[in-house]
Amino acid sequence: MSDPNGSTAQQRPKPTELANAAAEEARRRRLGLPPVPRRRRDPARPVRRALRWLVIVGVLVAVAFLGTSTWAYLTGQIGPLRGDEKAVARTLTLAGDTPAWADPEQIRCAADTIAKDKGSAGLTAAGVVARTGSGFSYTGEWPSALGSQWYAELLGCADGGANSWSRQIAEAWTLDNPRCLRKVGRPAIAGVLAVTNLRLTDEDLAAKNVAAITALDTCYARTPEAPTAAAAAGYREVTLKVTAPEVTSGTASIDDGAAQPTAGEDPELTYTLPVARGGSEACVEATTKVTYAWGTVRTGEPAKLCGKAAAAKIEWRTYEHACPKNMPKCAYMAAYIEGLSDNQSLTVTYRPSGDFKCPRKKPSCSVTIKADDAGKARAPGILVTGKKGTMVATAGSLKATYPR
């Protein structure tokens, strides 16, 4: 029970205290002294007592924590790595199979974490590192589970928040968005990375990756469209610049069968295709192939991409020849033909009109010529002194008129 001032029965004075107080009161009355002033209760006393106990307990806890932390720090349980673990972490950081998309701090973080978790003895027993003298060397071989953990630590050390790893992988894998990566999950993606990038000593992880790869294919893998080509006509050749279509995910390339590009890089390759004669067509059969980082390949329908070489042509050009004595000022022209087949023979026919005449004033004259190894030929020159009319040269379907 409590009194109005909040004191409890347990706080009441003891009988001996009451008797001593009564004796003191009687003595002071006999001597004519004033009574002993009443001691007022201090309501803050319990609070101060509780605070004192809290301080004492806090100090004890702090001392215990400091001692435990000091022990853990000195033994390497917390704080920076020491000894062999530090050496192993350094080996993994500098010599391990580290992906290009991971930054140096991310790699160091992952190496420290796995070295602290497995210890130098564990990583040595697993065959990931080997002791070399006073240090360690990287072997390049990983058990499946440990390889998956290595990539899980790399992803977990990505800077930028909980989902930063998925953005990092989406960029490295050229994916249009990271949502499906997060849906598949970081452990599964770590397993895919381990299988595709590490030399694993067992096959345990490969079978587990089937579900992850199926999910990735469903999200990202698509059959691409056919490539396109821009053709440029050259002399007895065709230049085709073949371009794969843009893809939102994966890496597009051109599968050209047996053809050999002369320039360019995927996804844009240039082919220079020789032809036997001018105006001929040349083609490349090409297919778009999209490769995804986890090994899936999607191939589109083949496309026949063609172009024509520059057409063969005949033209009049001035021909140096001595003039007849009765014509000190004269002009000779000759028919030049390009774009023929190698060593091709053909007949050139001249048909004059007006003042233009063939030798011996024939209505037409012809000559057989032969192309060289470059498909070029020249007809003998002919005297052209007419002021009116034309001289027409024909060779098969080719035709040139002088003057124009």
Side-chain angles (χ1 to χ4, degrees), residues 327-348:
M327 292 183 183
K329 292 183 179 181
C330 68
Y332 277 86
M333 299 294 290
Y336 285 77
I337 305 174
E338 295 181 352
L340 303 175
S341 302
D342 292 350
N343 305 311
Q344 177 184 348
S345 296
L346 76 165
T347 299
V348 178

Side-chain angles (χ1 to χ4, degrees), residues 98-104 106-107 154 168:
T98 55
W101 44 261
D103 60 67
Q106 184 176 358
I107 295 170
L154 279 170
Q168 191 176 43

Side-chain angles (χ1 to χ4, degrees), residues 102-369:
D103 60 67
E105 180 60 27
Q106 184 176 358
I107 295 170
R108 187 201 60 77
C109 166
D112 285 357
T113 303
I114 202 167
K116 182 177 293 186
D117 181 54
K118 297 298 179 182
S120 60
L123 291 170
T124 303
V128 177
V129 296
R131 186 173 285 280
T132 306
S134 60
F136 294 87
S137 61
Y138 178 66
T139 68
E141 295 186 348
W142 294 79
S144 288
L146 197 55
S148 181
Q149 182 183 351
W150 167 243
Y151 269 102
E153 301 297 352
L154 279 170
L155 297 179
C157 287
D159 186 25
N163 294 327
S164 59
W165 70 268
S166 60
R167 294 190 294 270
Q168 191 176 43
I169 297 301
E171 182 178 354
W173 284 0
T174 62
L175 304 177
D176 57 346
N177 66 76
R179 289 192 298 274
C180 281
L181 295 175
R182 294 195 290 270
K183 186 176 179 181
V184 174
R186 193 176 78 184
I189 297 301
V192 173
L193 287 165
V195 169
T196 54
N197 294 288
L198 296 178
R199 189 165 71 245
L200 302 179
T201 57
D202 58 73
E203 300 293 331
D204 296 346
L205 195 58
K208 298 178 182 178
N209 272 357
V210 173
I213 290 175
T214 301
L216 290 170
D217 287 348
T218 301
C219 277
Y220 299 110
R222 300 290 182 270
T223 300
E225 297 179 357
T228 57
Y235 181 74
R236 296 206 311 177
E237 68 180 22
V238 178
T239 300
L240 291 173
K241 184 177 285 186
V242 180
T243 305
E246 290 187 3
V247 293
T248 56
S249 297
T251 303
S253 60
I254 298 167
D255 184 357
D256 52 23
Q260 293 295 324
T262 53
E265 262 183 39
D266 275 323
E268 186 175 270
L269 299 175
T270 298
Y271 299 83
T272 302
L273 308 173
V275 295
R277 59 182 298 161
S280 298
E281 187 177 65
C283 302
V284 168
E285 189 170 277
T287 304
T288 303
K289 182 171 66 176
V290 180
T291 304
Y292 299 90
W294 51 91
T296 295
V297 176
R298 290 286 186 267
T299 303
E301 293 294 326
K304 191 174 183 180
L305 308 170
C306 302
K308 285 187 176 183
K313 64 181 180 179
I314 181 173
E315 61 183 5
W316 289 100
R317 296 180 192 170
T318 302
Y319 177 68
E320 296 294 332
H321 192 279
C323 293
K325 292 181 180 180
N326 60 342
M327 292 183 183
K329 292 183 179 181
C330 68
Y332 277 86
M333 299 294 290
Y336 285 77
I337 305 174
E338 295 181 352
L340 303 175
S341 302
D342 292 350
N343 305 311
Q344 177 184 348
S345 296
L346 76 165
T347 299
V348 178
T349 301
Y350 297 128
R351 290 183 174 84
S353 66
D355 296 341
F356 290 89
K357 303 295 180 184
C358 280
R360 295 181 295 277
K361 298 183 179 181
K362 291 182 179 181
S364 66
C365 48
S366 61
V367 62
T368 299
I369 60 175

Side-chain angles (χ1 to χ4, degrees), residues 42 73 127 311 315:
D42 184 1
Y73 184 89
E315 61 183 5

